[in-house]
Structures are given as structure tokens and as C-alpha cells.
Amino acid sequence: MLINFERSPGYKPLFNGIYQFEQDVDRLFGTFMGDAPGYVPAGYPAIELRTSNEESVLVAELPGVKKEDLKLSVENGILTLSGTRGENPVPENSQWLRNELWHGAFSRAIDLPHDVNAEKISAALENGLLRVQLPKAEAVRPREIKIR
Amino acid sequence: MTRYNEVMTNRSQDQGLRTRTDADQRLLVPAVDVIETPETYVLRLDIPGAAKETISVKLEGGVLQVRASITDTARESETVLYSEMRGTGYEREFSLGNGIDRERVDAAYEHGVLTVTLHKSDALKAREIRIQ
């Protein structure tokens, strides 16, 4: 979480040493900052932003979050996602043996890389992953210029 | 926690792993909740982005192994501008003690959370568990 790696189809770490180093640093900071293993801090879901000629796609990790508990808005080029992850019901006469999953409120604002056509934004939540499709505004789409 | 260690040991953590590189896969160790009820142990694992058909829950030789793959990745036409998602899959293993019925393990998947239910007992046998 301290060093961000890009993930693309053909992506491979340059050499495993770098990757190992990243793991070690993460583990060190994760340990003394009291993080749960593997993640960005609670209330701050991990994201990925991808772009193509036509649109950008924002992907966010929101395990355990239901559609009705998620809010999404765009204003002044900033996409805000917020909501709550409800507590899982704990049956009576039971006890916790390990508790690493985060619950509660989360919020994150993302500065969009270009103007979007706000009317045509669409979002889907599946398998704990939010996918927001942000079509580029007409003015920022790449277009070919004819030489006269 | 003493009780937990008697019944179930978190192997991945014991080995000091948070992620592991396995050929083409970069496996993350998913966070887990473990709850003990009078009859069962309930494990909940956060595996966002894992498609249901890629999830495998295996119980063999006293080790419960959970694996899954993340199928949503950038397309050819897309450039990744920024990413905090560093894995292509998930893996976590738990060593089970003798108090668990190895014939009865249930698994269910919803909203990116995998729930595995282990029933208390003492039978010993390896088998593969189907995802509901």
C-alpha cells in the first residue's frame, strides 16, 4: 500500500526482488500501524482507475457491501463513493476467535482524469467489486484531425 | 485465542506470508473472521473480485485451503492510470485440529465474502467441497 504497482494484462514485476522488498516494507508498516493483513486501511476501499479512448473505469473493492448501502456521486470532476458495511450477525452463544474483516462507514473521493458525460455514467456491484463506467465528455475524446 | 490455536492454526500467517508469487499469480492472503458457535466454526473471508466459479475450498490432510482468482482485469484497450489492487488471486490455509467433522463443510459466496462453515466432530477424511 505504500508503493503502488500498476496491474495490466502483461504486467510482471521487473524482478522478484523489488516485489519482495515491497512486501517487506508493507509488512513492517502494517504491523506497527495495526493493519489487518492485506489491505488499505479500513474505511478507505482499494481502487483502480483504467482509461481507454471512450471511457474510464473505476474499480473499487467493497466486500460485504450491499447495493442499497452504497452511494455514488459526481461533482466538479470528483467522484465520491461512500456507504456502510453492515456488521455480520453473530449467533447467540458464540465467540470471536479471529476478527480481521472491517465494518462500518467508508468514503473515498477520486479526482477524475478527464471531463465525463455525467448523464451516461453507469455502475455495477458484483462479487464485492464496484465498477463505475465513466464515458468521456465529447470535448475530450480523441479525434483525428484532417490536414488541409 | 489459545482455543483458536488448538482448533485451527492459520498456516499462512505462521509462515509470515501476506502475499505469495505463484507462477503467473500474485496471491493475496485474505482477511478472515472466525466465530465459534456451539456446533460450528464459521469462517468469513473477504475475497472481492473473485468469480464464484474460480473459488476452491479444499480439505485435505487436516488443512483447509481456500483459493480464488480475480477475473476483472484491465482490457487490452485500457491503460491502468492508478492501482492499489496488487493481487490476481487469493489463498489462505488453516490447519484443523481433531474436533472438526471433515465430512461436513459448507461454503457459500455472497457480495465478495466467502463463508465456510465447519461442523464440530472427530471424523477424519479428505474431500473436496462444492461451492453452493
Side-chain angles (χ1 to χ4, degrees):
Chain A
M1 75 200 65
L2 295 169
I3 304 162
N4 290 307
F5 272 91
E6 290 193 343
R7 188 178 62 177
S8 57
Y11 174 78
K12 291 245 166 58
L14 267 185
F15 53 96
N16 280 331
I18 284 270
Y19 186 61
Q20 188 55 52
F21 173 72
E22 183 210 10
Q23 300 312 307
D24 292 344
V25 172
D26 271 3
R27 192 155 55 229
L28 173 68
F29 283 91
T31 305
F32 73 65
M33 288 176 173
D35 266 354
Y39 284 104
V40 223
Y44 199 64
I47 58 161
E48 181 167 291
L49 191 59
R50 308 168 189 157
T51 193
S52 66
N53 287 344
E54 303 297 311
E55 61 173 16
S56 286
V57 175
L58 176 90
V59 182
E61 286 183 353
L62 295 169
V65 176
K66 293 183 192 117
K67 205 169 81 179
E68 56 269 29
D69 296 329
L70 178 63
K71 243 202 254 167
L72 210 56
S73 66
V74 182
E75 201 184 344
N76 292 331
I78 291 170
L79 173 77
T80 308
L81 62 99
S82 61
T84 313
R85 179 180 187 175
E87 287 281 352
N88 283 310
V90 179
E92 260 182 62
N93 297 323
S94 58
Q95 60 167 325
W96 286 96
L97 298 181
R98 194 169 267 263
N99 185 359
E100 294 170 358
L101 305 196
W102 65 266
H103 295 93
F106 58 85
S107 173
R108 198 148 180 194
I110 297 111
D111 210 343
L112 297 176
H114 53 71
D115 285 345
V116 296
N117 185 343
E119 302 294 305
K120 291 193 172 157
I121 295 173
S122 65
L125 185 60
E126 196 188 10
N127 294 331
L129 212 64
L130 172 72
R131 226 186 121 82
V132 188
Q133 283 178 280
L134 305 146
K136 285 188 178 175
E138 209 46 58
V140 294
R141 283 179 191 230
R143 72 184 86 180
E144 210 162 311
I145 292 117
K146 263 194 181 164
I147 313 291
R148 280 192 290 196
Chain B
M1 201 46 79
T2 323
R3 176 103 179 97
Y4 172 80
N5 287 331
E6 278 168 26
V7 181
M8 213 178 298
T9 315
N10 176 359
R11 299 181 87 218
S12 317
Q13 293 293 310
D14 292 348
Q15 291 157 16
L17 298 178
R18 289 183 66 211
T19 50
R20 185 163 80 77
T21 310
D22 177 13
D24 294 331
Q25 284 222 300
R26 276 175 294 141
L27 298 169
L28 302 166
V29 177
V32 70
D33 271 3
V34 183
I35 296 163
E36 181 180 1
T37 74
E39 270 105 51
T40 60
Y41 292 99
V42 181
L43 282 75
R44 292 195 192 106
L45 297 108
D46 269 357
I47 50 170
K52 190 171 151 187
E53 59 272 17
T54 69
I55 303 171
S56 117
V57 181
K58 228 193 252 179
L59 179 52
E60 203 178 330
V63 175
L64 177 76
Q65 186 197 58
V66 176
R67 283 189 82 147
S69 299
I70 298 167
T71 45
D72 179 281
T73 48
R75 296 189 197 124
E76 285 291 322
S77 59
E78 292 174 330
T79 309
V80 176
L81 295 178
Y82 175 72
S83 181
E84 294 161 355
M85 300 179 184
R86 293 167 304 138
T88 59
Y90 298 100
E91 184 187 89
R92 191 153 178 177
E93 292 183 338
F94 304 88
S95 296
L96 304 183
N98 289 327
I100 287 157
D101 183 347
R102 304 195 180 189
E103 296 294 326
R104 279 184 74 200
V105 181
D106 304 319
Y109 185 54
E110 197 187 25
H111 304 308
V113 182
L114 178 71
T115 305
V116 180
T117 306
L118 304 165
H119 298 263
K120 293 183 183 175
S121 161
D122 2 89
L124 291 152
K125 244 184 197 177
R127 66 167 193 149
E128 175 107 29
I129 296 101
R130 266 186 49 189
I131 314 295
Q132 287 168 352

